Amino acid sequence: METADIETDLSLFKYDNLEQLPPAYRELEPEERTARIEAALAELGDDVVVLGHNYQRKEIVEHADFVGDSYQLSKEAAESDAEYVIFGGVTFMAETADVITDDDQTVILPSMEASCPMAGMAEALQVDAAWAEITAAAGDKDIIPVTYMNSYADLKAFTAEHGGAICTSSNAADVFEWALEQGDAVLFMPDKYLGINTAYELGLEDSAVAWDPWDPEGTDAAEAADADVILWEGYCQVHERFRASHIEEIRAEHEDVNVVVHPECRREVVEAADVVGSTATITETVANADPGETWAIGTEIHLAKHLDRWYPEVEVLPLCGDACMDCNAMRQIDPNYLTWVLEELTKGRERNVIEVPEREAELAELSVQRMLDLAE
């Protein structure tokens, strides 16, 4: 990619140095595995911090020093004194942690297979080509890129290079407004559903169009350049599964149920829900619920399971019942991998290190800092 003055590659090839789980670790029994993880953590002490994303299984979060959403966890790592950061999440999360932690901290992603499909739907090389096409058609119109935190570091770098900023699911509307003050239109990547839900929040839904880089018959550059909000054709494979019919069905089954969903869900799901918000908002909603309330959770199944355990006085239900599925990428971080990377550290060996190149990291951090500056 040339416009951001950095070298990049498709996400599938960025970390071809990451290793598979050794055969000796593939058949560990749960009790032995737990004992070995605890022993390794005790030996490593304050030299290591373990981060568990909300969507990780119980066997990971029970060993985590911090549990939360991706950026929150990266901040916890940056504020710690740990030499090693073990990120129980997906690749883009580990990249963000590497970007904002100190140079003397090393970020490790236990499994090489934990790669978010949505982040991979907006590759920087691909966005760079689309950017050239759309901006050429825009003429004097100034388009500002806004990129979701759920993206690779090189796309964050691209965003900074072109005057844009990062957003989270909690502050997307604020960043959209900022971008429209800087320029004439927003190119939002990679999640079209968060993008359209934000456009509705700002009253811009009628001036939003989708840009599908895979569809030669889709929106052309001139039409995209004429819009106020250009939405990249990407989505979360977990949240995209939810339908308004799931909300209708659960309301029919549970008379007093409340529904909270993530803003990565389809527009009709968001419109039918009682509360819409990030994983932090979903957690806070259940935490603040009155005893005896029933809440249906429209996000990855493991967070629903955690909330059911953490708040037994509240009835917590997965929105789509038995049809709800977990995130395949998150599933790759299993406790056998965690055992392996921790025991390797006790022997002085670093496995599956995530390291963002210096120039790319500087630009990516700048795009995040622009987001943070809006809150000041």
Side-chain angles (χ1 to χ4, degrees):
M1 186 173 69
E2 297 179 356
T3 58
D5 192 29
I6 59 173
E7 293 183 4
T8 190
D9 205 341
L10 295 175
S11 57
L12 289 174
F13 306 107
K14 285 177 185 172
Y15 297 105
D16 56 2
N17 61 313
L18 301 188
E19 302 172 68
Q20 292 279 9
L21 186 68
Y25 283 86
R26 295 177 187 173
E27 303 295 334
L28 296 179
E29 294 295 328
E31 289 186 4
E32 178 191 1
R33 182 179 61 207
T34 297
R36 289 170 63 170
I37 289 173
E38 291 176 351
L41 288 172
E43 182 174 344
L44 293 165
D46 293 337
D47 288 340
V48 68
V49 61
V50 178
L51 309 177
H53 190 269
N54 285 318
Y55 297 162
Q56 283 296 326
R57 68 188 80 185
K58 177 177 180 286
E59 292 84 354
I60 298 296
V61 300
E62 67 185 2
H63 297 296
D65 297 290
F66 300 100
V67 179
D69 61 26
S70 63
Y71 187 59
Q72 172 196 348
L73 292 174
S74 292
K75 291 193 295 182
E76 296 287 3
E79 292 169 5
S80 78
D81 295 324
E83 180 180 357
Y84 295 104
V85 177
I86 312 297
F87 210 126
V90 293
T91 313
F92 79 79
M93 299 178 185
E95 285 188 337
T96 301
D98 184 60
V99 166
I100 73 170
T101 51
D102 290 340
D103 291 342
D104 58 358
Q105 291 180 286
T106 299
V107 177
I108 291 174
L109 182 70
S111 171
M112 64 180 291
E113 303 294 341
S115 181
C116 171
M118 180 171 68
M121 291 178 188
E123 299 279 5
L125 288 168
Q126 186 181 40
V127 172
D128 192 55
W131 178 262
E133 187 176 352
I134 295 170
T135 54
D140 294 334
K141 187 174 182 178
D142 195 7
I143 299 174
I144 305 297
V146 173
T147 298
Y148 192 19
M149 186 66 74
N150 298 23
S151 58
Y152 287 105
D154 56 0
L155 186 54
K156 292 181 172 73
F158 171 94
T159 301
E161 184 77 359
H162 293 285
I166 300 305
C167 75
T168 67
S169 57
S170 299
N171 64 17
D174 292 337
V175 180
F176 269 47
E177 290 184 320
W178 168 85
L180 290 170
E181 290 172 0
Q182 311 306 306
D184 305 306
V186 169
L187 170 62
F188 180 67
M189 307 160 288
D191 182 19
K192 65 178 180 182
Y193 293 121
L194 176 59
I196 194 60
N197 288 325
T198 304
Y200 267 90
E201 183 177 349
L202 297 175
L204 298 172
E205 65 275 13
D206 292 335
S207 56
V209 300
W211 176 268
D212 187 346
W214 298 277
D215 183 7
E217 303 300 322
T219 303
D220 62 25
E223 183 183 355
D226 193 46
D228 292 332
V229 178
I230 308 163
L231 304 171
W232 193 267
E233 183 67 29
Y235 57 88
C236 169
Q237 294 179 318
V238 170
H239 293 112
E240 187 266 348
R241 296 177 185 136
F242 293 110
R243 299 292 189 274
S245 60
H246 292 136
I247 296 181
E248 294 171 2
E249 290 164 4
I250 208 157
R251 291 197 193 282
E253 295 169 3
H254 302 269
E255 182 179 357
D256 298 323
V257 70
N258 306 284
V259 178
V260 55
V261 304
H262 198 281
E264 291 177 15
C265 291
R266 295 168 180 267
R267 180 64 197 163
E268 57 269 27
V269 174
V270 166
E271 289 178 333
D274 299 297
V275 178
V276 180
S278 65
T279 55
T281 295
I282 292 171
T283 300
E284 290 166 5
T285 298
V286 175
N288 294 329
D290 292 330
E293 286 187 3
T294 301
W295 281 90
I297 310 300
T299 192
E300 207 272 350
I301 187 66
H302 283 103
L303 181 54
K305 291 180 177 179
H306 298 329
L307 293 173
D308 189 46
R309 289 197 313 276
W310 296 341
Y311 303 101
E313 71 281 5
V314 180
E315 184 176 8
V316 178
L317 306 169
L319 178 57
C320 52
D322 293 338
C324 289
M325 299 175 67
D326 61 353
C327 170
N328 181 62
M330 288 286 183
R331 189 192 312 158
Q332 306 311 313
I333 305 291
D334 72 29
N336 290 356
Y337 273 100
L338 181 60
T339 309
W340 171 55
V341 296
L342 287 171
E343 290 189 338
E344 286 294 279
L345 285 179
T346 66
K347 301 168 186 175
R349 296 192 288 262
E350 302 173 357
R351 302 296 189 186
N352 290 359
V353 173
I354 299 294
E355 187 172 4
V356 179
E358 183 178 1
R359 174 61 175 160
E360 184 178 313
E362 289 173 354
L363 287 167
E365 187 168 19
L366 173 59
S367 69
V368 173
Q369 187 59 50
R370 286 178 181 154
M371 174 190 75
L372 298 177
D373 290 342
L374 297 180
E376 295 181 353

